[in-house]
C-alpha cells in the first residue's frame, strides 16, 4: 500500500488556504509562569479541603484560581480532562506490578483511589468525572477574564486501547507485519494485531494503541483532533511529542511500516499540524514533552516551548561547571523557548529528587530565574516529598514545610515582575576569586529595572566579583542601593566599582541572592 504523502500535504494546505511559511511564536521575550494541576486529584483534594462535593470544573471555588493568579501566574495547565475508557481503568486496577507500585507510594490504597491514566484517551471530549463540555468552555472564559490562560493535553503518540478507531480505523495504527502468524506476540501487539503504544524503549504501554503517523489519513484525523483541543484551550501540552519525528518514528517502527508499504513523509507532522492550528488560533501556545537530544528539533518544527530536563538533571548532579556550560552554551533563542521545572506529574517531587527541601529550593533559584516557561507543579510550594502517581487520586499525606511555603511566596513575587517576563537576559561571569567555582550569575534588564541573580547550588559558601557595566549613579551620587530581594536587605555600593572591578558577593551554600540595583 504505497501512500503519496506529498500530494496529501499539498491538498491539505490548499484546502485550508495556508501559505507555506514558518509560524512565528508569540510568547513573551523573557518568560511565562505556568502552574500544573492533576485535575481529578485536585478536585478530590478540594472536596476534602472545603468539605463539600466538587464534581465539576465549575464547582471548583474560583478563589483557588484567583490565588494562583495573585502569585503572578500567566497560565494553568489542567492536566487530564479528556474522556477515558473502561479498558485502561480495568488494566490500572488489576495489573500486579502497578498494584505493587501503588502500595509503595500510597500504603493502604483502595480501589476507589485508582482513577485511570489520563494518557489513555478514548476521545477529546470532556471526561464526565469533571463535568460537561460547557463547563470547560465557561471555566476558560472565567480564567481568561482574570488574566489566566488555560493549557490542556494532547496525547499524540497513541490512543486508549478502547478508542473507537481501534475497531473502525485499524489502518490508523501500527500493525504487526503482514504475514505474522497468530496469535501475535502479546508483549507488543493487541489480539487484533495493533501495536501497543511505545516509546521504542522501555516496553509497551499496555493501555494504549500506537498510531501510525506515516498514514496520511491518520495525520488528517489527528490534526482535526488537535484543532478540537485548540478550540477549548489557550495552550496545548503535547505528550511525548518527540516520538513523532520522522527519523525516530521510522527507526522505532521500521519493520511494520515497510511491511505495509508506508513511506517517510516529506514533512514533519508537527510542522504541518502546528501551522494549521496557528492559522486558526494564532495566539495558541504549544509545549512539547521532549527529552535529550531532540529539544532543538521540536523548536525547529514550531513548538513555542520544549522541556529542558537536561538542566533539571545537570543541576541535581551538583557540577556547577556543567550547569554554567549548559546555560552559557545554548543560545538565548533555545533557553527562551525551553520549559524549566523542579518537578511535574512524571517526575519525583523536588524534595525527593534533589535530596531535601532546601536543596530543591536552591535548585529552583536557578530553574525559575532563567528565561522561558517557568513550570511549577501542584505541591511544589508545600515542599512535599511523596509522589502523586498519575493513576491515583491522592498521594500519601504529609505536612507542608513552612520555610518552603514562605520561600516560594517570595520567589514567585520576584520572578513574576515584568523584568523577568519581558526583559533581556545576559549571562555573566564571576571573577577575581578562586571561591566562585560554585556560583552561576546572570542579569535581567527591562526599561529602568535591573536584576542580578547570583546562585549557589553547593554545600560550600561561594564568593566572587561580578562586573555590572550598567550600574549608574543616582542623582549624581556614586553610592547606590543594591537590594537583595530574597532577604529584603539593602546594601550601598559604589556604582563605579560595580562597573569596573565588580560587585563583590558572598553567597551561602544552597542559596542565592537576587539583587535589584
Amino acid at each position: 500500500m504505497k501512500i503519496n504523502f506529498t500530494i496529501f500535504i499539498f491538498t491539505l494546505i490548499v484546502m485550508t488556504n495556508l501559505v507555506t511559511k514558518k509560524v512565528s511564536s508569540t510568547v513573551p521575550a523573557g518568560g511565562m509562569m505556568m502552574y500544573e494541576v492533576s485535575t481529578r486529584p485536585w478536585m478530590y483534594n478540594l472536596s476534602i479541603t472545603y468539605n463539600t462535593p466538587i464534581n465539576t470544573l465549575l464547582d471548583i471555588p474560583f478563589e483557588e484560581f484567583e490565588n494562583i493568579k495573585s502569585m503572578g501566574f500567566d497560565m494553568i495547565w489542567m492536566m487530564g480532562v479528556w474522556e477515558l475508557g473502561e479498558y485502561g481503568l480495568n488494566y490500572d486496577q488489576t495489573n500486579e506490578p502497578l498494584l505493587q507500585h501503588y502500595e509503595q507510594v500510597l500504603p493502604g490504597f483502595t480501589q476507589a483511589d485508582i482513577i485511570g491514566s489520563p494518557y489513555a484517551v478514548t476521545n477529546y471530549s470532556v471526561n464526565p468525572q469533571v463535568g460537561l463540555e460547557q463547563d470547560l468552555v465557561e471555566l476558560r472564559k472565567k480564567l481568561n477574564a482574570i488574566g489566566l490562560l488555560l493549557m490542556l493535553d494532547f496525547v499524540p503518540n497513541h490512543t486508549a486501547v478502547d478508542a473507537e478507531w481501534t475497531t473502525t480505523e485499524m489502518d490508523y495504527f501500527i500493525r504487526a507485519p503482514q504475514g505474522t502468524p497468530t496469535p501475535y506476540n502479546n508483549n507488543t501487539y493487541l489480539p487484533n494485531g495493533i501495536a501497543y503504544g511505545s516509546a521504542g524503549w522501555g516496553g509497551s504501554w499496555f493501555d494504549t494503541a500506537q498510531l501510525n503517523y506515516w498514514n496520511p489519513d491518520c495525520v488528517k484525523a489527528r490534526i482535526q483532533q488537535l484543532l478540537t483541543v485548540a478550540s477549548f484551550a489557550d495552550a496545548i501540552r503535547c505528550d511525548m511529542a518527540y516520538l513523532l519525528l520522522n527519523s525516530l518514528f521510522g527507526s522505532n517502527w521500521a519493520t511494520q511500516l515497510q511491511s505495509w508499504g508506508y513511506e517517510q513523509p516529506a514533512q514533519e507532522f508537527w510542522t504541518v499540524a502546528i501551522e494549521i492550528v496557528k492559522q486558526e488560533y494564532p495566539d495558541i501556545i504549544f509545549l512539547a514533552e521532549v527529552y535529550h537530544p531532540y529539544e532543538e528539533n521540536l523548536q525547529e518544527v514550531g513548538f513555542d516551548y520544549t522541556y529542558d530536563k537536561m538542566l533539571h538533571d545537570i543541576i541535581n548532579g551538583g557540577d556547577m561547571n556543567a550547569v554554567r556550560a549548559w546555560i552559557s552554551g545554548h543560545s538565548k533563542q533555545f533557553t527562551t523557548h525551553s520549559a524549566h521545572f523542579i518537578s511535574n506529574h512524571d517526575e519525583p517531587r523536588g524534595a525527593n529528587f534533589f535530596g531535601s527541601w532546601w536543596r530543591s529550593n536552591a535548585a529552583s533559584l536557578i530553574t525559575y530565574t532563567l528565561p522561558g516557561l517557568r513550570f511549577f507543579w501542584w505541591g511544589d510550594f508545600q515542599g512535599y516529598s511523596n509522589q502523586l502517581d498519575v493513576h491515583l487520586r491522592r498521594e500519601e499525606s504529609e505536612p507542608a514545610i513552612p520555610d518552603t511555603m514562605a520561600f516560594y511566596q517570595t520567589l514567585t513575587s520576584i520572578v513574576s515582575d515584568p523584568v523577568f517576563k519581558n526583559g533581556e537576559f545576559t549571562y555573566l561571569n564571576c571573577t577575581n576569586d578562586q571561591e566562585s567555582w560554585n556560583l552561576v550569575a546572570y542579569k535581567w534588564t527591562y526599561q529602568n529595572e535591573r536584576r542580578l541573580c547570583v546562585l549557589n547550588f553547593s554545600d560550600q559558601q561561594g564568593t566572587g566579583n561580578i562586573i555590572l557595566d550598567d550600574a549608574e549613579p543616582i542623582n549624581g551620587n556614586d553610592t547606590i542601593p543594591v537590594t537583595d530581594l530574597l532577604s529584603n536587605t539593602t546594601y550601598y555600593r559604589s556604582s563605579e566599582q560595580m562597573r569596573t572591578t565588580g560587585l563583590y558577593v558572598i553567597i551561602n551554600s544552597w542559596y542565592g541572592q537576587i539583587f535589584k540595583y
Side-chain angles (χ1 to χ4, degrees):
M1 182 173 63
K2 295 285 185 182
I3 305 294
N4 193 322
F5 199 89
T6 304
I7 292 176
F8 164 72
I9 292 297
F10 176 77
T11 303
L12 189 58
I13 289 174
V14 171
M15 288 171 59
T16 53
N17 295 316
L18 292 176
V19 293
T20 307
K21 64 178 182 179
K22 185 174 180 179
V23 178
S24 61
S25 175
T26 57
V27 299
M32 303 179 73
M33 293 171 62
M34 181 187 75
Y35 188 67
E36 179 194 2
V37 298
S38 185
T39 303
R40 290 174 297 157
W42 192 43
M43 291 169 62
Y44 174 78
N45 182 277
L46 291 174
S47 296
I48 296 171
T49 300
Y50 286 90
N51 194 30
T52 188
I54 295 178
N55 298 319
T56 75
L57 296 171
L58 292 182
D59 292 338
I60 298 170
F62 200 67
E63 66 192 78
E64 293 292 327
F65 298 107
E66 291 172 330
N67 289 340
I68 292 167
K69 179 60 183 177
S70 72
M71 296 182 74
F73 283 91
D74 305 290
M75 180 158 51
I76 183 169
W77 170 18
M78 300 196 70
M79 189 268 284
V81 303
W82 303 125
E83 190 171 356
L84 310 178
E86 289 299 319
Y87 185 102
L89 180 60
N90 181 66
Y91 177 81
D92 295 340
Q93 291 177 338
T94 58
N95 178 263
E96 189 58 35
L98 279 177
L99 295 174
Q100 292 174 7
H101 175 67
Y102 303 154
E103 187 61 36
Q104 291 175 351
V105 299
L106 184 61
F109 76 94
T110 67
Q111 183 157 309
D113 290 320
I114 306 171
I115 59 174
S117 168
Y119 293 97
V121 175
T122 55
N123 193 32
Y124 288 92
S125 54
V126 175
N127 187 330
Q129 293 183 6
V130 304
L132 304 173
E133 177 180 305
Q134 189 55 40
D135 296 332
L136 183 58
V137 171
E138 184 61 26
L139 176 62
R140 181 188 175 196
K141 288 180 181 177
K142 293 175 70 175
L143 293 175
N144 288 174
I146 64 169
L148 271 179
L149 303 178
L150 175 63
M151 176 177 281
L152 299 175
D153 301 287
F154 181 64
V155 186
N157 185 65
H158 49 260
T159 70
V161 164
D162 49 350
E164 183 180 357
W165 287 353
T166 60
T167 55
T168 63
E169 306 291 348
M170 288 186 64
D171 283 345
Y172 285 7
F173 296 89
I174 293 291
R175 299 166 69 184
Q178 297 188 73
T180 301
T182 57
Y184 300 108
N185 180 345
N186 62 10
N187 288 317
T188 306
Y189 301 105
L190 287 155
N192 64 2
I194 290 176
Y196 289 113
S198 173
W201 52 269
S204 298
W205 299 316
F206 293 108
D207 54 348
T208 69
Q210 177 66 50
L211 288 159
N212 179 4
Y213 279 87
W214 287 16
N215 179 343
D217 292 329
C218 174
V219 166
K220 184 177 180 180
R222 290 299 270 173
I223 289 174
Q224 287 303 311
Q225 289 188 323
L226 189 56
L227 284 164
T228 296
V229 176
S231 71
F232 290 105
D234 305 294
I236 303 175
R237 184 266 192 181
C238 298
D239 183 70
M240 300 293 279
Y242 69 107
L243 296 180
L244 275 58
L245 290 169
N246 285 333
S247 60
L248 189 57
F249 193 84
S251 174
N252 287 342
W253 302 106
T255 302
Q256 295 88 343
L257 292 165
Q258 291 168 8
S259 171
W260 290 93
Y262 289 101
E263 296 178 345
Q264 178 171 315
Q267 292 180 272
E268 295 287 358
F269 168 80
W270 290 119
T271 301
V272 177
I274 291 174
E275 187 168 334
I276 290 173
V277 173
K278 288 204 172 191
Q279 287 291 326
E280 188 162 345
Y281 303 99
D283 295 327
I284 200 156
I285 295 168
F286 278 87
L287 167 64
E289 179 188 15
V290 57
Y291 301 105
H292 199 65
Y294 299 103
E295 301 94 336
E296 291 181 271
N297 300 78
L298 289 191
Q299 291 187 11
E300 289 170 0
V301 298
F303 276 93
D304 299 289
Y305 293 116
T306 57
Y307 275 35
D308 187 0
K309 188 176 185 298
M310 281 297 292
L311 175 68
H312 177 257
D313 295 345
I314 290 170
I315 293 173
N316 187 50
D319 182 346
M320 291 301 290
N321 285 326
V323 172
R324 287 190 293 269
W326 182 260
I327 296 171
S328 64
H330 284 90
S331 67
K332 290 182 186 178
Q333 172 81 6
F334 174 82
T335 307
T336 300
H337 292 278
S338 295
H340 303 119
F341 51 84
I342 288 297
S343 182
N344 59 57
H345 71 269
D346 284 319
E347 301 291 338
R349 292 286 192 187
N352 189 337
F353 181 74
F354 292 102
S356 67
W357 60 263
W358 60 88
R359 286 170 57 104
S360 180
N361 292 355
S364 73
L365 288 174
I366 301 174
T367 301
Y368 295 130
T369 55
L370 290 171
L373 183 65
R374 300 175 184 115
F375 175 176
F376 298 77
W377 164 230
W378 177 39
D380 281 351
F381 300 157
Q382 290 75 23
Y384 290 155
S385 296
N386 294 334
Q387 179 187 8
L388 173 61
D389 185 273
V390 74
H391 304 88
L392 302 177
R393 67 179 178 178
R394 62 187 178 96
E395 73 270 60
E396 187 176 9
S397 179
E398 61 183 312
I401 306 296
D403 285 352
T404 293
M405 295 178 70
F407 168 81
Y408 272 107
Q409 192 70 41
T410 299
L411 180 61
T412 54
S413 70
I414 292 171
V415 299
S416 60
D417 188 278
V419 69
F420 283 97
K421 293 185 177 182
N422 304 312
E424 177 73 15
F425 171 86
T426 305
Y427 181 84
L428 300 171
N429 292 312
C430 295
T431 60
N432 297 338
D433 199 310
Q434 294 181 350
E435 301 305 319
S436 64
W437 62 269
N438 51 0
L439 302 180
V440 60
Y442 36 82
K443 69 178 180 179
W444 286 87
T445 55
Y446 179 63
Q447 297 177 347
N448 294 323
E449 293 292 325
R450 301 178 183 87
R451 301 292 185 271
L452 168 66
C453 304
V454 192
L455 312 167
N456 180 0
F457 190 80
S458 80
D459 61 357
Q460 298 180 40
Q461 179 178 277
T463 62
N465 287 70
I466 301 159
I467 294 174
L468 298 167
D469 57 10
D470 56 357
E472 298 174 352
I474 297 177
N475 298 324
N477 190 344
D478 179 61
T479 300
I480 63 173
V482 179
T483 301
D484 172 26
L485 299 177
L486 287 170
S487 65
N488 197 29
T489 302
T490 299
Y491 308 91
Y492 291 89
R493 297 291 183 265
S494 163
S495 61
E496 181 182 6
Q497 285 186 355
M498 292 167 66
R499 292 192 305 272
T500 54
T501 58
L503 177 69
Y504 183 73
V505 296
I506 303 173
I507 309 297
N508 291 332
S509 61
W510 311 120
Y511 207 56
Q513 291 183 305
I514 301 175
F515 295 106
K516 176 180 180 178
Y517 65 98

